[in-house]
Amino acid sequence: MAFLEITDATKKFGGFLAINAVTFCVERGARHAIIGPNGAGKTTLFNLISGLILPTTGSITLEGKRLAKKKPHEIVQIGMARSFQKVNVFPRKTAFENVQVALIASRKLQYNPFRGAAELFRDEIMELLEQVKLGADSERRAGELAHGKQKQLELAVALAAEPKILLLDEPTAGMSIAETLSSIALIRDIVQERGITLLFTEHDMNVVFEIASTISVLHHGEIIATGLPQEIRVNDDVQRIYLGRE
Ligand SMILES: Nc1ncnc2c1ncn2[C@@H]1O[C@H](COP(=O)(O)OP(=O)(O)OP(=O)(O)O)[C@@H](O)[C@H]1O
């Protein structure tokens, strides 16, 4: 049994086949990238894997457990956390509070915003913020942080759930070159250090080749190749379809 198994997954929107009989596995500990041109179906595939939408047919399992029809918090409890292309933090809460809310939710505590819980999980929160290089920004409102830092905060929020697998949808989207470089190093170090399996989509091929241990290529909703980065780099179909070389 593979760690994450996607078996013959199909997603239709009306008559449009966005994901077509997709089968692939993500091995435990892998840093697995899903690449493909715009509209290939990457986000749809991510939404299927993280249970946001149901597959029309097929199955998705994490350690043998089916993910379909599970509620978002149940999926988090099974061990999956994800981020979105658009930043998804509470802008008016501080960085500290954003992580605190995530920790409270993952530990299944009742959150009462009117009760003084300011110090709850302080050490853990600071450790997480320091790990994503936001220790000095803990008291700043999330909405005031630069885009790159907001993505770092999202990462801390995702890590608060202690996931076995982390899904990142274009983790460096909208970042400057400097932000991208530090973000790549951060993601790679954190998943390695914590033994987290990573599944991510990314447009920037430099980022893909810096992080990925395995790459799957999606084209018109179908996986056309899965392999090691060096195999994907020289795959004729991939070069023709994705990299635009004839
Ligand atoms: N809810 C929906 N209803 C109808 N069509 C949809 C829906 N969601 C996605 N699609 C279509 O499915 C296809 C795949 O879209 P998706 O966003 O998954 O691609 P993508 O590879 O993530 O693209 P990008 O790289 O631009 O983010 C597109 O043609 C899109 O228009």
Side-chain angles (χ1 to χ4, degrees), residues 35-37 202-206 208-209 215 217-219 224 229 231-246:
I35 65 170
E202 182 58 61
H203 273 120
D204 184 334
M205 293 306 282
N206 293 323
V208 171
F209 284 106
I215 300 175
V217 186
L218 199 61
H219 183 58
I224 60 157
E231 293 166 345
I232 296 299
R233 208 190 276 272
V234 297
N235 180 301
D236 285 344
D237 286 339
V238 176
Q239 293 213 349
R240 189 163 33 82
I241 293 167
Y242 186 68
L243 301 172
R245 291 188 203 137
E246 293 299 328

Side-chain angles (χ1 to χ4, degrees), residues 13 16 18 37-44 85 170 203:
F13 294 114
F16 177 69
N38 285 339
K42 303 179 293 296
T43 299
T44 304
Q85 268 178 36
E170 297 209 21
H203 273 120

Side-chain angles (χ1 to χ4, degrees), residues 71-80 105-106 108 161-162 164:
K71 301 201 173 74
H73 73 271
E74 292 172 323
I75 288 185
V76 171
Q77 274 157 23
I78 288 176
M80 182 181 282
S106 91
K108 292 191 252 176
E162 299 177 327
K164 296 176 190 163

Side-chain angles (χ1 to χ4, degrees), residues 25-98:
C25 293
V26 176
E27 300 301 332
R28 190 185 299 274
R31 298 183 304 279
H32 196 129
I34 308 281
I35 65 170
N38 285 339
K42 303 179 293 296
T43 299
T44 304
L45 182 58
F46 252 50
N47 289 344
L48 287 174
I49 294 172
S50 58
L52 219 59
I53 57 175
L54 285 176
T56 309
T57 58
S59 82
I60 297 155
T61 59
L62 183 66
E63 295 183 312
K65 295 187 193 90
R66 269 182 175 259
L67 297 179
K69 296 195 180 150
K70 292 242 182 315
K71 301 201 173 74
H73 73 271
E74 292 172 323
I75 288 185
V76 171
Q77 274 157 23
I78 288 176
M80 182 181 282
R82 78 166 281 186
S83 78
F84 294 84
Q85 268 178 36
K86 264 183 70 185
V87 175
N88 197 22
V89 290
F90 296 117
R92 296 178 62 187
K93 287 193 182 297
T94 63
F96 184 94
E97 288 164 344
N98 267 276

Side-chain angles (χ1 to χ4, degrees), residues 20-222:
N20 187 6
V22 161
T23 296
F24 72 101
C25 293
V26 176
E27 300 301 332
R28 190 185 299 274
R31 298 183 304 279
H32 196 129
I34 308 281
I35 65 170
N38 285 339
K42 303 179 293 296
T43 299
T44 304
L45 182 58
F46 252 50
N47 289 344
L48 287 174
I49 294 172
S50 58
L52 219 59
I53 57 175
L54 285 176
T56 309
T57 58
S59 82
I60 297 155
T61 59
L62 183 66
E63 295 183 312
K65 295 187 193 90
R66 269 182 175 259
L67 297 179
K69 296 195 180 150
K70 292 242 182 315
K71 301 201 173 74
H73 73 271
E74 292 172 323
I75 288 185
V76 171
Q77 274 157 23
I78 288 176
M80 182 181 282
R82 78 166 281 186
S83 78
F84 294 84
Q85 268 178 36
K86 264 183 70 185
V87 175
N88 197 22
V89 290
F90 296 117
R92 296 178 62 187
K93 287 193 182 297
T94 63
F96 184 94
E97 288 164 344
N98 267 276
V99 179
Q100 191 178 43
V101 168
L103 268 175
I104 287 171
S106 91
R107 304 282 157 85
K108 292 191 252 176
L109 295 180
Q110 209 69 48
Y111 178 60
N112 180 346
F114 301 108
R115 210 178 52 202
E119 293 304 303
L120 205 56
F121 302 126
R122 169 161 289 280
D123 292 349
E124 267 179 86
I125 295 164
M126 288 312 296
E127 199 183 315
L128 276 166
L129 286 173
E130 263 146 35
Q131 194 158 30
V132 300
K133 314 268 186 272
L134 286 180
D137 296 296
S138 64
E139 293 309 319
R140 292 184 62 200
R141 283 180 192 231
E144 292 163 4
L145 297 173
H147 176 71
K149 287 193 172 186
Q150 291 192 14
K151 297 295 276 187
Q152 285 161 237
L153 178 57
E154 256 193 339
L155 191 56
V157 165
L159 292 174
E162 299 177 327
K164 296 176 190 163
I165 180 166
L166 184 60
L167 271 63
L168 300 179
D169 198 355
E170 297 209 21
T172 66
M175 286 190 185
S176 66
I177 292 173
E179 283 175 334
T180 298
L181 289 175
S182 65
S183 171
I184 293 171
L186 192 66
I187 292 167
R188 213 181 29 207
D189 289 353
I190 286 177
V191 294
Q192 260 168 12
E193 199 174 299
R194 292 179 166 244
I196 298 173
T197 305
L198 178 69
L199 181 64
F200 69 107
T201 70
E202 182 58 61
H203 273 120
D204 184 334
M205 293 306 282
N206 293 323
V207 173
V208 171
F209 284 106
E210 274 295 321
I211 300 183
S213 59
T214 308
I215 300 175
S216 291
V217 186
L218 199 61
H219 183 58
H220 292 324
E222 293 181 39

